[in-house]
Amino acid sequence: MLFVFCGERRSGKTSILFQIRDGRLGPDFLPVLIDMQAMAIETEANFFANITKEVMRSLHDRCEDLEPPHYDLANPSATFAEFVDELSSLHPDKRLVLLFDEYELMEDKVNGGQLSEDVFRIFSHLMERQTKPVFFVFTGSQHLDERGHHVWSILAKSHFKRISFLDRSDALNLITRPVQGRVDYTEETVEKIYRLAAGQPFYTQWICQNLVDYLNEHHTNVANVEDLSSVTKGLINNPAPEMTRLWGDLKTDEMLTLALLAEVLEQESEFTTSQTLLRLAQRSYPISIDLPRIATASEALIRNELLLRHPDDPRKGYQFRMDIWRLWVRRSHSVWQVIQERGVPTRKRWYQRVAVRIAAMAIVSLVLAWG
């Protein structure tokens, strides 16, 4: 059986794997975490040898009678299947769960020639066994059927779960419960934190941790809106690395759209439309951008969960999903800054051309007068 957890960076996918690894499923399971990003793979034999090593490490002192196999280049996938069979015989009360973080990297290894499609065939075989099947849990940024690589079709149909923003009640619990009895939040402060992070787990914890640090420095346990405002200003001036990394991954039109949006939306509760952004761009900036490009960028940003469409009337446009992003883009990534960062081509406006002509005529007049 295959479970797939997908979501954007810092959405909590890896935390789920850590909880499973640490025994959340109970004593009947043997969870083994495979970090694809940390795994150095030159051959398929390396790949299965590394997985075997992690399995042996997870068994601790329960693997005296289990010898790690020797993987050669001939048929490492079959050797791994035999190892799993032996493991099942020695530990009939355990069910092996292989946890793969960032499964997209496996596809990269196939494309690079380090892995073959046999890897996925043996995974499929292990999942579909009648007795003691192996469970697999994958995390990544996309569902397998969105990857566009035919090797994923070899695997059985997955159970898919998108990891995203917490609902309101869970988000409020994340804000208040970890410090219950030690920090008193005013109701307005809790609401403000919720709007800043919108229930995104990483940003919620990031804001709350910095707020608690601020309260400790000022020797108080009451968190009010003024304290949160001071903390928010510091976070905007010193953003989390995840924010700058995500910003750097955006396309130029997406950056321009966010910059225009941050300029238009002066209040956290406001929404605006692509048409309004286009009028601002045409009126105030010497850039060439049209309505289809803004609309396309906006849809991409909604899919990336940076923007939120109006819940009642889509014609009213959209807003920043997390207000911390609106404040940060407004402070650090204006349209002019995006133009400079990305080398966006600019055009001279009519009044700039007229100014140049007037200046030239003035110079000529001065020369003639002095002559």
Side-chain angles (χ1 to χ4, degrees):
M1 188 173 294
L2 171 62
F3 298 88
V4 181
F5 297 105
C6 301
E8 300 302 322
R9 287 174 177 168
R10 289 294 189 172
S11 59
K13 306 184 300 294
T14 305
S15 296
I16 293 174
L17 296 188
F18 285 149
Q19 290 187 46
I20 297 174
R21 182 201 62 182
D22 295 339
R24 189 66 178 267
L25 298 180
D28 295 334
F29 295 88
L30 176 63
V32 181
L33 179 60
I34 312 297
D35 186 353
M36 289 299 301
Q37 195 166 23
M39 184 184 290
I41 303 172
E42 296 181 0
T43 65
E44 199 161 300
N46 290 150
F47 177 68
F48 285 114
N50 283 329
I51 296 177
T52 300
K53 185 186 300 181
E54 293 300 327
V55 172
M56 301 286 286
R57 184 178 299 162
S58 298
L59 285 170
H60 300 298
D61 56 353
R62 295 170 291 171
C63 59
E64 298 90 346
D65 299 326
L66 185 63
E67 289 292 332
H70 173 70
Y71 288 98
D72 55 35
L73 300 179
N75 198 350
S77 58
T79 303
F80 179 71
E82 293 172 1
F83 168 74
V84 173
D85 287 339
E86 186 178 357
L87 173 66
S88 298
S89 299
L90 291 174
H91 296 278
D93 58 330
K94 299 290 183 182
R95 296 292 182 269
L96 181 62
V97 184
L98 295 179
L99 313 168
F100 285 90
D101 199 11
E102 300 194 41
Y103 63 76
E104 298 99 331
L105 295 178
M106 273 192 282
E107 182 180 316
D108 295 339
K109 299 299 183 184
V110 172
N111 293 334
Q114 294 97 331
L115 298 178
S116 73
E117 296 180 17
D118 285 345
V119 169
F120 302 94
R121 291 191 180 93
I122 201 64
F123 284 176
S124 181
H125 164 71
L126 293 172
M127 284 189 293
E128 296 171 1
R129 295 193 306 180
Q130 293 298 317
T131 59
K132 301 195 67 173
V134 176
F135 295 93
F136 289 77
V137 180
F138 288 175
T139 67
S141 60
Q142 291 178 298
H143 194 191
L144 292 180
D145 59 13
E146 298 173 353
R147 291 297 301 167
H149 200 289
H150 67 281
V151 298
W152 297 113
S153 64
I154 298 171
L155 299 178
K157 184 178 179 180
S158 62
H159 297 269
F160 168 73
K161 174 67 176 177
R162 183 162 187 83
I163 307 302
S164 184
F165 290 65
L166 301 173
D167 61 32
R168 178 181 173 81
S169 61
D170 288 338
L172 298 186
N173 282 334
L174 180 60
I175 294 169
T176 59
R177 186 166 294 176
V179 291
Q180 194 169 17
R182 291 180 291 138
V183 174
D184 292 327
Y185 287 105
T186 66
E187 185 175 341
E188 189 178 2
T189 303
V190 173
E191 288 296 325
K192 185 73 172 178
I193 294 173
Y194 178 70
R195 182 64 193 94
L196 284 169
Q200 207 282 347
F202 166 74
Y203 288 97
T204 300
Q205 292 175 313
W206 177 53
I207 293 169
C208 289
Q209 181 60 60
N210 279 273
L211 178 57
V212 169
D213 291 343
Y214 177 90
L215 297 177
N216 288 336
E217 290 174 5
H218 290 77
H219 306 290
T220 180
N221 65 342
V222 178
N224 55 43
V225 173
E226 290 75 19
D227 297 324
L228 180 59
S229 296
S230 297
V231 169
T232 303
K233 289 178 183 178
L235 297 180
I236 292 169
N237 291 326
N238 297 281
E242 287 73 16
M243 296 179 74
T244 56
R245 189 180 301 117
L246 178 54
W247 174 263
D249 289 341
L250 296 176
K251 297 179 180 178
T252 299
D253 281 357
E254 294 166 0
M255 288 182 175
L256 288 171
T257 299
L258 289 178
L260 291 166
L261 189 65
E263 184 173 340
V264 170
L265 300 181
E266 296 186 0
Q267 301 296 325
E268 61 185 46
S269 59
E270 295 177 335
F271 287 79
T272 196
T273 64
S274 297
Q275 291 84 350
T276 301
L277 300 187
L278 178 62
R279 287 194 293 269
L280 172 61
Q282 292 175 335
R283 182 180 68 247
S284 303
Y285 299 102
I287 56 176
S288 297
I289 194 167
D290 55 30
L291 192 60
R293 285 171 57 186
I294 293 177
T296 299
S298 300
E299 288 301 316
L301 292 165
I302 289 171
R303 288 194 301 273
N304 289 342
E305 301 182 320
L306 287 176
L307 297 187
L308 182 68
R309 188 178 283 108
H310 195 286
D312 300 321
D313 187 356
R315 293 173 299 179
K316 294 182 179 179
Y318 36 79
Q319 65 178 187
F320 283 87
R321 184 158 191 172
M322 294 177 284
D323 201 53
I324 190 73
W325 266 80
R326 178 184 69 89
L327 297 171
W328 178 57
V329 173
R330 190 178 180 90
R331 164 69 175 79
S332 302
H333 295 288
S334 68
V335 175
W336 284 114
Q337 287 168 309
V338 173
I339 291 172
Q340 294 176 348
E341 287 176 25
R342 287 301 179 97
V344 177
T346 57
R347 53 181 171 77
K348 291 183 177 180
R349 291 179 174 269
W350 67 269
Y351 55 77
Q352 291 175 310
R353 294 195 294 269
V354 169
V356 170
R357 290 174 183 173
I358 292 174
M361 291 173 61
I363 292 173
V364 170
S365 297
L366 287 173
V367 170
L368 291 176
W370 279 98

